[in-house]
Amino acid sequence: MVNRAIPLRLLAMPVPRLAKSAISMLLHGLIERQKTKNDMTASLKAIDGNGDLPALMNELAAGARAASRVLSLAPPEQKNRALKAMERAIHADAAAILAANAEDVADVRSSGATGAFIDRLTLTQARINAMADGIATVREIPDPVGVVTESWQRPNGMVIERVRVPLGVVAVIFESRPNVAADAGVLCLKSGNAVILRGGSDSFRSCRAIHQCLAQGLREAGLPEASITLVPTRDRAAVGLLLSGLNGGIDVIVPRGGKSLVARVETEARVPVFAHLEGVNHVYVDRAADLAMAKSIVLNAKMRRTGVCGAAETLLVDRAGANANLKPLVEMLIDSGCEVRGDDAVQRIDARVKAASDEDWDTEYLDAIIAAKVVDGVDGAIAHIHDHGSHHTDAIVTEDESTARRFLNEVDSAIVLHNASTQFADGGEFGFGAEIGIATGKFHARGPVGVEQLTSFKYRIHGTGQTRP
């Protein structure tokens, strides 16, 4: 549950509250600039040129707060109409989204970014289709707002209900992946929350193109366009202003990016944060593993997409099964283009294995690199994950059900899997349609954050004139 006792302090200079008409005019102007398709290739200085960033950010937050009150009462049918229109717009504007993304990718490629970073940034027709499919899935999810999760009657006759309510205004700060703009926007809409999106400067054009589609859906459904706001500047100072809470304008912050971004958010935020630590994920291959299954799972967990947070970063192999399993697994990874950094036992298997350093066991590579180690059974695997894991996603491959139960019960991660790839750490794969992130903390939400996790609750009490003695 969101802790509203956390003090909110504005780090920037305070600005007077604007009249509703002024806010409306400003937001209308921003949206008009963002929805002009010819602007996709225009100089970004036109949008980055606002001279009073604190005033702009406070105005955006005020607009989002007003929109959140409308959304909290919007009927499911109206929200679903907006989602359907957004899905259509994503398909219809795919060419414009791809063109904007190509410019972002070209800029990043010329700066010498890694292949994994470029992969996270790149949109393809298939990924745009998946984005639209995710919106369709979210639309079909039952609306969580107003659902009574519990109800009971007290001896004095009062009936108490616990009912789901939106969080309010969510700020999502993300890097690289432009699809997060769509995922976060539609999940917040479905759960009755307004959202302020602040994407990375590298994906700025892509996010603007996607946001146009979301804004179109809001317009078609008659919902406030400030329900989904994209921060219209690449100025890094905007992040600090969001972290300040904007004078009470933001209820919760969700960071989606690398370790440095998450660390900054958790250190500086003056509002509650959905923690999302790096994915130092493990696959443990037990002595009772089926080798063919283990090879398939390990290869997929590491190499399907190396730059996602669900990618495996460490391979653990049971010493009792190492003679049969270790060499085929290591050779498969190396032959597939993955660098293996191993302990002494792994290095002896293949001369191409590099020596692992102490830092390797704690590293999220997000690249075609994996650390590998031989451990003493499931006890050794659990101990290693306890010492070096990030509480994100960890998997065991075994045909021994009792060993699997121990692993699933004792590994303290948001997601634990038996005989399946760690790359299933994804809200879409959970049936959520999309996710706003993978929460690795233990308060309020854990694992993929979908529509249900973006709600809190309140108590409704029905009486017949009772007074307390």
Side-chain angles (χ1 to χ4, degrees):
M1 184 176 67
V2 172
N3 181 4
R4 296 187 180 275
I6 294 178
L8 300 172
R9 183 176 60 186
L10 186 63
L11 298 183
M13 292 297 292
V15 296
R17 183 179 298 274
L18 297 182
K20 289 184 179 180
S21 60
I23 294 172
S24 177
M25 290 175 62
L26 176 115
L27 290 175
H28 177 76
L30 290 174
I31 291 165
E32 286 303 312
R33 280 191 292 176
Q34 291 179 348
K35 75 179 182 180
T36 303
K37 293 185 178 181
N38 291 337
D39 189 44
M40 299 310 303
T41 57
S43 170
L44 297 177
K45 291 182 180 179
I47 289 183
D48 285 344
N50 188 283
D52 192 348
L53 185 60
L56 170 63
M57 296 300 293
N58 276 280
E59 289 157 359
L60 294 180
R65 176 63 68 194
S68 73
R69 296 182 63 185
V70 176
L71 286 179
S72 68
L73 301 175
E77 296 78 14
Q78 187 179 22
K79 291 186 286 186
N80 286 340
R81 284 200 305 274
L83 293 170
K84 181 65 175 178
M86 291 174 185
E87 179 191 354
R88 288 197 304 266
I90 291 287
H91 282 304
D93 290 354
I97 295 171
L98 289 172
N101 182 250
E103 292 187 52
D104 286 336
V105 171
D107 283 353
V108 167
R109 197 182 300 277
S110 66
S111 70
T114 66
F117 185 92
I118 292 172
D119 177 67
R120 293 195 296 274
L121 175 63
T122 301
L123 292 174
T124 63
Q125 185 62 56
R127 292 180 183 179
I128 289 176
N129 291 342
M131 194 187 310
D133 292 343
I135 297 174
T137 302
V138 170
R139 190 178 71 252
E140 296 301 321
I141 293 173
D143 196 302
V145 180
V147 172
V148 177
T149 60
E150 291 184 67
S151 178
W152 63 96
Q153 187 172 36
R154 297 292 296 147
N156 64 3
M158 290 194 313
V159 175
I160 301 176
E161 299 173 329
R162 188 161 74 174
V163 59
R164 292 194 177 279
V165 296
L167 296 173
V169 178
V170 180
V172 182
I173 304 171
F174 58 99
E175 297 175 328
S176 307
R177 299 181 181 92
N179 63 287
V180 174
D183 292 349
V186 301
L187 287 170
C188 287
L189 173 65
K190 182 75 175 188
S191 54
N193 298 289
V195 62
I196 300 175
L197 304 169
R198 203 292 181 178
S201 59
D202 298 309
S203 61
F204 192 71
R205 297 179 183 88
S206 305
C207 290
R208 285 165 57 200
I210 292 169
H211 179 257
Q212 287 181 10
C213 301
L214 305 183
Q216 180 176 330
L218 292 168
R219 288 193 296 272
E220 290 188 24
L223 289 169
E225 292 187 38
S227 300
I228 303 175
T229 298
L230 178 67
V231 175
T233 176
R234 297 190 298 179
D235 191 330
R236 293 181 181 274
V239 173
L241 292 167
L242 287 172
L243 297 181
S244 76
L246 292 173
N247 202 27
I250 294 172
D251 294 293
V252 65
I253 294 176
V254 181
R256 184 84 182 268
K259 187 174 183 178
S260 61
L261 170 65
V262 176
R264 180 189 176 189
V265 170
E266 293 192 311
T267 299
E268 298 182 17
R270 298 295 184 266
V271 294
V273 174
F274 281 174
H276 174 107
L277 297 180
E278 72 273 25
V280 183
N281 307 321
H282 302 75
V283 177
Y284 166 60
V285 178
D286 184 59
R287 70 191 70 183
D290 176 88
L291 179 57
M293 180 188 292
K295 290 175 69 175
S296 175
I297 289 173
V298 169
L299 184 63
N300 182 268
K302 177 67 258 186
M303 298 298 288
R304 172 188 167 271
R305 287 189 69 185
T306 60
V308 299
C309 65
E313 306 293 14
T314 301
L315 169 65
L316 303 175
V317 177
D318 186 354
R319 193 178 307 278
N323 286 342
N325 297 330
L326 184 59
K327 185 178 179 65
L329 290 169
V330 170
E331 289 181 343
M332 172 196 68
L333 286 166
I334 295 175
D335 292 344
S336 299
C338 182
E339 177 182 318
V340 177
R341 301 177 184 178
D343 64 1
D344 290 342
V346 178
Q347 290 177 68
R348 287 194 294 270
I349 289 295
D350 194 304
R352 296 173 292 177
V353 175
K354 298 182 179 180
S357 67
D358 290 340
E359 290 76 20
D360 282 311
W361 310 120
D362 303 302
T363 299
E364 182 187 34
Y365 300 110
L366 298 175
D367 205 346
I369 305 170
I370 195 168
K373 183 178 184 179
V374 174
V375 295
D376 292 318
V378 69
D379 289 324
I382 293 170
H384 180 93
I385 294 169
H386 174 79
D387 291 341
H388 301 283
S390 61
H391 306 286
H392 194 291
T393 302
D394 298 291
I396 180 174
V397 184
T398 185
E399 297 301 300
D400 188 320
E401 292 292 335
S402 63
T403 300
R405 281 195 299 272
R406 278 203 58 203
F407 186 93
L408 296 178
N409 289 337
E410 297 182 29
V411 171
D412 185 23
S413 295
I415 303 169
V416 286
L417 306 100
H418 174 208
N419 288 347
S421 169
T422 59
Q423 298 237 355
F424 284 106
D426 178 88
E429 296 298 328
F430 276 53
F432 297 171
E435 70 184 35
I436 206 169
I438 304 288
T440 54
K442 295 185 180 181
F443 289 99
H444 185 77
R446 200 176 194 202
V449 178
V451 294
E452 184 177 303
Q453 292 75 26
L454 287 170
T455 61
S456 182
F457 59 85
K458 67 180 179 183
Y459 292 99
R460 295 192 305 215
I461 301 177
H462 303 276
T464 56
Q466 289 88 343
T467 60
R468 185 170 178 176

